[in-house]
Structures are given as structure tokens and as C-alpha cells.
């Protein structure tokens, strides 16, 4: 027996062959160092979608970052926001 698809369900998927423009804004990727925290993998996976990725790993933390280490996540978010505010400029693709 097959489950019926909801009327709003998409039956098409984007082609991986289509070029996508990279995000031109700073991106912060945070992972935990234990369990399903994924370590640096979130940042590595985002590098294909963004030009400016900062990766951080929180110690003694799994998948539920804000629940397991809220103070550490808050510190990282505040530090990242300060860096962006202090001088981020859009990437032009020129060196």
C-alpha cells in the first residue's frame, strides 16, 4: 500500500547540475564535538553555498547546541555579530 502525497507536496527536485550563486554574506556554522554534533561538517557542507564561512565546534556538545551549551552558542553568536558589524564587506569575486 502506498501513502498518498499531500496536494502541496512537490514532485520535482532541483537539478544538481544547475549553477547556484554563492551566498555573499558571512555565514556562521556551529557543530558540537560529540554524539551527533557533526564537528566541522556543518561548515564544510556550507562551503559549497557561501564564500565566507566561519566554522566553530563547541566542546561537550552534541546535536542540540542551544539546549546543551546555551552560553557557548550565545558567545559565538555575539562574537560573530561583532566581527560582521566591525567590518564585513560584500565579496566581489575580485582579488
Amino acid at each position: 500500500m502506498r501513502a498518498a502525497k499531500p496536494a502541496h507536496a512537490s514532485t520535482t527536485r532541483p537539478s544538481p547540475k544547475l549553477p547556484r550563486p554563492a551566498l555573499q554574506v558571512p555565514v556562521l556554522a556551529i557543530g558540537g564535538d560529540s554524539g551527533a554534533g557533526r564537528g566541522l561538517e556543518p561548515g564544510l557542507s556550507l562551503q559549497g553555498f557561501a564564500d565566507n564561512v566561519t566554522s566553530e565546534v563547541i566542546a561537550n556538545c552534541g546535536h542540540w547546541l542551544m539546549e546543551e551549551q546555551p552560553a557557548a552558542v550565545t558567545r559565538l553568536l555575539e562574537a560573530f555579530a561583532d566581527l560582521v558589524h566591525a567590518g564585513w564587506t560584500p565579496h566581489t569575486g575580485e582579488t
Side-chain angles (χ1 to χ4, degrees):
M1 180 173 199
R2 292 175 51 183
K5 288 185 182 178
H8 66 277
S10 173
T11 57
T12 61
R13 294 181 184 199
S15 170
K17 296 177 185 175
L18 296 176
R20 296 182 194 181
L23 292 174
Q24 300 293 305
V25 297
V27 175
L28 176 62
I30 307 173
D33 72 346
S34 58
R38 299 173 51 204
L40 289 172
E41 195 277 327
L44 294 173
S45 65
L46 287 170
Q47 287 178 353
F49 300 99
D51 289 336
N52 184 0
V53 178
T54 300
S55 295
E56 299 287 351
V57 177
I58 298 176
N60 303 312
C61 189
H63 179 73
W64 304 104
L65 304 171
M66 281 303 292
E67 193 168 301
E68 296 177 37
Q69 296 289 346
V73 173
T74 301
R75 281 193 301 275
L76 289 174
L77 291 172
E78 288 174 342
F80 184 73
D82 289 345
L83 286 173
V84 171
H85 181 71
W88 173 79
T89 57
H91 176 70
T92 63
E94 300 173 4
T95 56

